[in-house]
Amino acid sequence: MEILAFGVQADEKPLIERAFAGHHDIRCLDVFLNEDTAPIAAGYEAVSSSVNAVLDGPVLEILAAGGTRLIAQRSTGFNNIDLAAAERLGLTVARVSYYSPYSVAEFAWTLAMAVNRRVVRASTRTRDFDFRLDGLMGRDMHGRTAGVLGTGKIGEAFARIARGFGMRLLGWDVAENPACMELGMKYVSKDQLLAESDLISLHVPLMPETQHLIDADALKAMKDDAILVNSSRGGLIDTAALVSELREGRFAGVGLDVYEAEAGLFYVDRSLETVEDDTLARLVTFPNVLVTSHQAYYTEDAVGQIVDATVKNVLDYSAGRRSENVLVPRT
């Protein structure tokens, strides 16, 4: 069976080709899977998609009509896939249910410390041989409060790092994580967490219930000098409301690895084009905001695990096996 992989990054390609060697042939494309590119998959029984793929009803219909029967997504999140449509069309859908939580947790901390200590501004200055300290003052994390929204594997890893800094830990989730409680985390209401935290990091999945979890009211409940980090899903934050608060001079720093309208923008070079997204264009102008391109997961360790799980998903499909990664089973 030959597999067509969409949205493959240059660093990712050799890992994918090496992992599939001896199992199935794979063709890697750097274009993302959407309604315009879906016809390319005609004749491929299996398709592998990236996190920024658009797999709504129309795209799935094109894939099914072209003979695709398996979609193996190379991510944990699957809010971009219309699972009901996939089931109706007889498509098997699998994802990667686990990869290194440390990759995302460590990057969330990278964002937090970069905005706290004004690293980007300092680096830009020193490249111009400007070695002033004006405007570069940050704060110690030791003794301050870290609020973790979502205390699964990634949230737990983030909390362990926070404990290493000597921070007070507040958590919010639908279920308490005993490992986080052993770290000294106190579970509180979302409102209390927002009001008391100096650093807030988001680690919850994007679902209808969590869409705009951080809305205008939540942002207003936060401290004026709080640091907000999102390395989970862009839709967790109402970006327009965030821009409004930033215009009022609020927040010591905001680190965003994700953006709610990132599809079609992230992972693509738009440097020679006019970006028509006014919200994003305004967002990146704030000196206390750092935006990166959904790269928190992007370590050799995590990507290697993602690729290995994708290979396993394809092999399981071929053998008629079902694992915890299957979202829509083979019929």
Side-chain angles (χ1 to χ4, degrees), residues 273-319:
E273 304 175 20
T274 299
V275 175
E276 298 178 357
D277 189 324
D278 293 337
T279 302
L280 179 60
R282 183 68 180 95
L283 190 63
V284 298
T285 65
F286 292 104
N288 57 334
V289 175
L290 174 57
V291 179
T292 52
S293 52
H294 205 147
Q295 68 185 79
Y297 78 97
Y298 207 53
T299 66
E300 292 181 5
D301 310 80
V303 173
Q305 292 167 357
I306 289 169
V307 170
D308 289 343
T310 301
V311 172
K312 182 179 182 300
N313 288 340
V314 173
L315 296 178
D316 284 347
Y317 165 82
S318 299

Side-chain angles (χ1 to χ4, degrees), residues 68-261:
T68 297
R69 293 294 174 264
L70 168 67
I71 296 170
Q73 177 141 298
R74 303 187 307 280
S75 73
T76 298
F78 53 90
N79 56 285
N80 60 319
I81 307 174
D82 186 336
L83 298 180
E87 185 174 10
R88 173 174 54 81
L89 294 165
L91 295 168
T92 300
V93 180
R95 59 151 178 172
V96 177
S97 58
Y98 174 87
Y99 60 84
S100 169
Y102 309 107
S103 61
V104 179
E106 290 171 4
F107 193 81
W109 266 105
T110 300
L111 290 175
M113 294 308 296
V115 295
N116 176 39
R117 302 305 301 268
R118 314 292 192 257
V119 172
V120 175
R121 181 185 296 180
S123 177
T124 301
R125 282 185 185 179
T126 56
R127 285 177 179 272
D128 292 330
F129 297 98
D130 178 353
F131 300 104
R132 293 173 298 160
L133 296 181
D134 298 346
L136 300 183
M137 184 174 288
R139 296 179 295 175
D140 289 1
M141 288 290 102
H142 180 85
R144 288 189 160 82
T145 300
V148 186
L149 289 162
T151 57
K153 291 182 175 65
I154 297 174
E156 178 188 331
F158 183 90
R160 289 187 182 279
I161 298 171
R163 186 191 185 194
F165 274 95
M167 301 186 76
R168 172 188 177 221
L169 297 175
L170 296 180
W172 176 86
D173 208 328
V174 294
E176 297 179 353
N177 183 340
C180 289
M181 297 176 71
E182 289 179 5
L183 296 173
M185 177 177 286
K186 178 182 178 183
Y187 279 87
V188 296
S189 68
K190 187 180 77 168
D191 289 343
Q192 182 178 346
L193 185 149
L194 295 174
E196 297 183 11
S197 297
D198 300 292
L199 166 62
I200 296 169
S201 191
L202 308 183
H203 301 288
V204 300
L206 180 61
M207 303 179 292
E209 298 81 6
T210 59
Q211 178 74 26
H212 288 180
L213 179 70
I214 303 299
D215 56 12
D217 290 339
L219 291 164
K220 291 184 183 300
M222 293 168 55
K223 294 181 178 182
D224 288 342
D225 61 353
I227 293 173
L228 174 64
V229 173
N230 186 11
S231 57
S232 184
R233 287 293 183 269
L236 298 176
I237 296 178
D238 182 340
T239 315
L242 176 60
V243 168
S244 179
E245 294 300 312
L246 288 165
R247 291 180 64 182
E248 297 297 321
R250 300 191 64 223
F251 307 132
V254 176
L256 304 175
D257 185 50
V258 288
Y259 173 60
E260 60 181 325

